[in-house]
Amino acid sequence: MMLEGKKIIVTGAASGIGRATAVLAAREGADVAVADIDRARAEETAGLVQAEGREAIVIEMDTSKAADAQRMADEATAAFGTIDGIVCGAIKLQPAKLEELTEEGWDRVIDVGLKGYFLCAQAAGRVMLEKGSGSIVFLSSVGGVQAYNGAGAYSVAKAGNVMLGNLFGVEWGGRGVRANTVLPGQVPTPMTAAMFDDPEIAAGRAAVVPMGRVGKPEEIAEACVFLLSDRASYVNAATLKVDGGQAESKMMHTPGRNWGGKKMEYSAA
Ligand SMILES: NC(=O)c1ccc[n+]([C@@H]2O[C@H](COP(=O)([O-])OP(=O)(O)OC[C@H]3O[C@@H](n4cnc5c(N)ncnc54)[C@H](O)[C@@H]3O)[C@@H](O)[C@H]2O)c1
């Protein structure tokens, strides 16, 4: 098993890709701290982890708050004795056209999706630095390397995630703590459900992917588990696209796509 005996935190683990990562990490032998703002759904994920025969704790938290991030690291360490890895995935998608994006909307997305990644990685990372080993995985997006019209601050946060991975990897890699970034493509989850409601739009979304289909949360989880594991022992400050080839394809920029339930225009590539 790839994560035998490891103690892993997943933020945003109550849903979608975070939940799939928590469950796969448990299947690969890890005990998992399920960190999320949504306690009820986090409890469900914890049940799925336990069903894999591993220990789970629920940490109800807001990743954008430094005190919560520190409590997360403290509670995980108290429950499991140490921390071997963290996957940062918590996000709240708030699509908006730039001319309509409010200061509050900007702040919330950046606070949760960028500052929150830093705070959680720092708090968990300090425990890993102390023992000289560990792995940090940031869930970014292909939207962090290509501009999506209408994505508001989301794409800016996602671009920042890539630099955070590079920065942590460069600064801490020599002290035994690797950091890497995963860039998923389109994955139906509760966050993106509205984009896949209309079968015509769903088919159109699949059609811009060279592989001809969108991804599954479990397929993103595989990349996260690999990067958490010792099999990735020489992978550091890397970015891994898991998008069926979408980001390398010009097909993605087609007009009239749907983002978060809102019709929007994409620029021509
Ligand atoms: N689904 C996709 O198509 C897709 C594509 C590219 C990247 N991603 C990235 O993958 C990650 C997971 O996305 P998903 O689609 O599974 O989303 P999701 O909405 O299904 O899950 C996000 C989780 O984050 C939690 N959360 C929100 N705000 C929080 C906060 N302040 N503190 C703690 N938890 C909070 C939510 O409760 C939820 O459980 C995100 O970082 C997203 O940007 C997703």
Side-chain angles (χ1 to χ4, degrees), residues 146-162:
Q146 292 196 319
Y148 290 7
N149 284 356
Y154 178 81
S155 278
V156 179
K158 296 285 115 184
N161 297 162
V162 173

Side-chain angles (χ1 to χ4, degrees), residues 63-154:
T63 56
S64 68
K65 298 197 168 20
D68 281 22
Q70 188 55 51
R71 180 172 52 78
M72 171 199 78
D74 292 344
E75 288 183 13
T77 307
F80 298 147
T82 191
I83 299 169
D84 297 302
I86 181 167
V87 178
C88 295
I91 189 75
K92 185 77 190 147
L93 177 65
Q94 292 184 19
K97 291 180 176 166
L98 291 174
E99 64 270 31
E100 291 163 6
L101 181 57
T102 62
E103 182 180 2
E104 191 191 23
W106 172 276
D107 284 349
R108 187 63 185 152
V109 170
I110 298 293
D111 281 355
V112 177
L114 183 53
K115 185 176 85 173
Y117 275 38
F118 164 69
L119 292 172
C120 292
Q122 184 193 49
R126 283 176 176 147
V127 177
M128 298 190 267
L129 275 183
E130 211 166 291
K131 64 178 182 173
S133 69
S135 173
I136 298 168
V137 179
F138 293 117
L139 275 166
S140 173
S141 168
V142 295
V145 291
Q146 292 196 319
Y148 290 7
N149 284 356
Y154 178 81

Side-chain angles (χ1 to χ4, degrees), residues 42-61:
E43 299 280 3
E44 288 172 16
T45 302
L48 296 172
V49 167
Q50 286 156 350
E52 298 291 338
R54 305 304 314 183
E55 279 182 40
I57 59 165
V58 169
I59 303 170
E60 183 181 347
M61 67 177 299

Side-chain angles (χ1 to χ4, degrees), residues 15 17 36-37 62-63 89 91 117 140 154 158 185 187 189 191:
S15 179
I17 293 167
D36 205 284
I37 205 164
D62 180 341
T63 56
I91 189 75
Y117 275 38
S140 173
Y154 178 81
K158 296 285 115 184
V187 184
T189 66
M191 178 180 89

